[in-house]
Amino acid sequence: MASSSSLGSTVTVPKVKLGSQGLVVSAQGLGCFGMCGSYGLPKPDPDMIKLIHHAVDSGVTFLDTSDLYGPHTNEILIGKALKEGGLRNKVQIATKFGNRVIDGKLDVCGDPAYVRSACEASLKRLDIDCIDLYYVHRIDIRVPIEVTMGELKKLVEERKVKYIGLSEASASTIRRAHAVHPITAVQQEWSLWTRDLEDEIVPTCRELGIGIVPYSPIGRGFLAAGPSLVENLTEGDFRKSFPRFQNVDHNKTIFERLNEMATRKGCTAAQLALAWVHHQGTDVVPIPGTTKFENLNQNIGALSVKLTPEEMSELKSFASSDVVKGERHVYMQLTWKNSETPPLSSWKDI
Ligand code: ATR
């Protein structure tokens, strides 16, 4: 197992089983979303390739992307990183389909013909024969999930995909999908300030033996840097549009409490936020996103931050509902009225 030095400790990144179908991944993954824009300007490819190589050398082998990131350029970047490093057999590649951009507008599509063409295009961009974990990125409620899953099942039979995941799906969608073909992982936002999945999604996944992959475990950076992150967001950083990032005066309290406790424990606020997610269970594999070596090392170091039940409760109390103001995602504000958006029965299905 690989090791990484952080805050004076040597941390080994263990391998864990994700879900019940045989997928084994590193206990912490790498979210690659921020590398190709969205969080500010795209970062130079050579730097990101070095970062991906460093992650894999350090034991972080579970790489998370989507055809939407870029769009497309993030998958191409990962494909290059794998090729240049000869890394295909050392990594677990997770990518996603379902969000496509038409005339500059987002459209969610789970139509079987689209599922197949999206998969083939992702394979090409990633320059691999098989996707380890293929997620439905958002649920198209115009197409029954059974129909989308039927095509995914065929892709597994054809060995173009090894395991299937869902992202941002409701508990009932997870159950229906799992009845067609076993779901290996559900990816959902989960962090100290985003805990809405704990009521239904987490128990459903546990009942069905589905692994949980929290994205934005550091609150898109807010739990690492608080107000200073928001003050320094550059033009075009899409976090500016998020309701939570527009209520900084209110929401800074959670960061201040977290930071104060991190100082007491001798770690960083980002590490403490991440450690809280890691402590949710061995079936939980967060994928913090970073574009920096130092932050990657720190995040690996979070695996060595131990929390007592009392500390877990203290952390939980920082994020009670009155402490966090504003929805977690701009999607929450979309409604049927926007003719460009698909018919949304519930934000949970976006
Ligand atoms: P997402 O899943 O959406 O990428 P996240 O993992 O919660 O969200 O947070 C990602 C953000 O946190 C990024 O802005 C990242 O910035 P860098 O690319 O500059 O690293 C920031 N981040 C990640 N790890 C961090 C750390 N250890 N300390 C400070 N900021 C960190």
Side-chain angles (χ1 to χ4, degrees):
M1 280 190 284
S3 297
S4 173
S5 170
S6 175
L7 300 186
S9 61
T10 300
V11 179
T12 300
V13 182
K15 295 276 185 267
V16 293
K17 282 187 192 157
L18 186 65
S20 313
Q21 286 72 51
L23 178 60
V24 173
V25 299
S26 53
Q28 185 180 108
L30 176 63
C32 299
F33 172 64
M35 296 179 183
C36 296
S38 298
Y39 290 170
L41 291 172
K43 310 296 180 283
D45 273 11
D47 294 353
M48 294 304 99
I49 288 172
K50 278 189 207 141
L51 183 77
I52 292 168
H53 290 177
H54 175 63
V56 177
D57 286 346
S58 306
V60 174
T61 56
F62 183 33
L63 306 178
D64 188 87
T65 181
S66 165
D67 60 2
L68 185 68
Y69 303 168
H72 301 164
T73 52
N74 199 243
E75 288 186 329
I76 294 169
L77 171 76
I78 289 176
K80 272 198 229 166
L82 298 188
K83 200 106 213 166
E84 286 181 22
L87 297 179
R88 177 62 189 105
N89 296 327
K90 291 189 180 167
V91 297
Q92 304 82 48
I93 298 295
T95 191
K96 318 180 190 80
F97 76 93
N99 283 318
R100 59 183 176 177
V101 181
I102 300 177
D103 295 333
K105 289 173 185 162
L106 202 62
D107 178 55
V108 176
C109 187
D111 177 73
Y114 177 70
V115 174
R116 178 162 294 271
S117 68
C119 176
E120 280 164 4
S122 284
L123 285 168
K124 214 166 169 186
R125 284 189 291 268
L126 287 160
D127 201 6
I128 57 179
D129 299 326
C130 179
I131 295 164
D132 296 306
L133 177 58
Y134 200 34
Y135 291 103
V136 184
H137 201 162
R138 293 292 182 268
I139 309 301
D140 178 355
I141 65 164
R142 297 167 299 193
V143 177
I145 190 66
E146 288 80 1
V147 174
T148 305
M149 285 299 296
E151 195 64 20
L152 284 166
K153 189 176 172 183
K154 284 188 204 157
L155 292 169
V156 173
E157 286 158 5
E158 294 166 30
R159 297 176 194 269
K160 291 181 174 168
V161 168
K162 271 194 198 138
Y163 303 101
I164 300 174
L166 302 175
S167 180
E168 294 285 348
S170 64
S172 70
T173 298
I174 295 169
R175 277 185 198 284
R176 285 169 52 198
H178 193 71
V180 177
H181 186 278
I183 298 296
T184 294
V186 164
Q187 183 172 139
Q188 191 97 3
E189 184 171 351
W190 197 2
S191 70
L192 260 178
W193 76 347
T194 298
R195 301 188 36 224
D196 43 357
L197 77 169
E198 290 174 21
D199 293 342
E200 285 186 17
I201 310 280
V202 172
T204 302
C205 287
R206 290 194 164 144
E207 182 196 322
L208 301 175
I210 298 172
I212 305 163
V213 177
Y215 74 85
S216 300
I218 309 174
R220 300 182 188 270
F222 188 80
L223 300 175
S228 71
L229 173 94
V230 184
E231 281 155 23
N232 292 310
L233 291 180
T234 52
E235 216 36 63
D237 189 313
F238 97 135
R239 286 172 290 193
K240 277 176 182 268
S241 60
F242 281 35
R244 276 191 190 171
F245 283 79
Q246 293 164 0
N247 286 293
V248 175
D249 278 348
H250 184 94
N251 291 337
K252 67 181 180 194
T253 311
I254 181 169
F255 167 73
E256 287 165 356
R257 291 179 182 168
L258 183 69
N259 202 32
E260 187 273 321
M261 185 173 171
T263 308
R264 262 192 276 146
K265 282 193 69 73
C267 63
T268 67
Q271 286 180 316
L272 190 52
L274 201 45
W276 181 84
V277 178
H278 276 295
H279 277 71
Q280 298 304 319
T282 50
D283 55 348
V284 177
V285 178
I287 48 166
T290 184
T291 55
K292 297 197 178 81
F293 274 63
E294 188 198 328
N295 289 346
L296 178 76
N297 291 342
Q298 248 193 48
N299 295 344
I300 295 171
L303 284 160
S304 69
V305 175
K306 300 287 173 244
L307 296 170
T308 64
E310 293 73 32
E311 287 172 325
M312 289 294 283
S313 302
E314 190 182 350
L315 281 162
K316 236 179 180 179
S317 74
F318 295 170
S320 55
S321 54
D322 56 328
V323 176
V324 184
K325 193 167 166 186
E327 298 286 13
R328 67 185 172 93
H329 202 295
V330 69
Y331 274 138
M332 311 301 185
Q333 296 169 322
L334 300 177
T335 69
W336 248 116
K337 282 178 278 176
N338 302 31
S339 57
E340 71 271 22
T341 59
L344 308 171
S345 66
S346 144
W347 62 263
K348 289 185 180 177
D349 266 332
I350 302 167

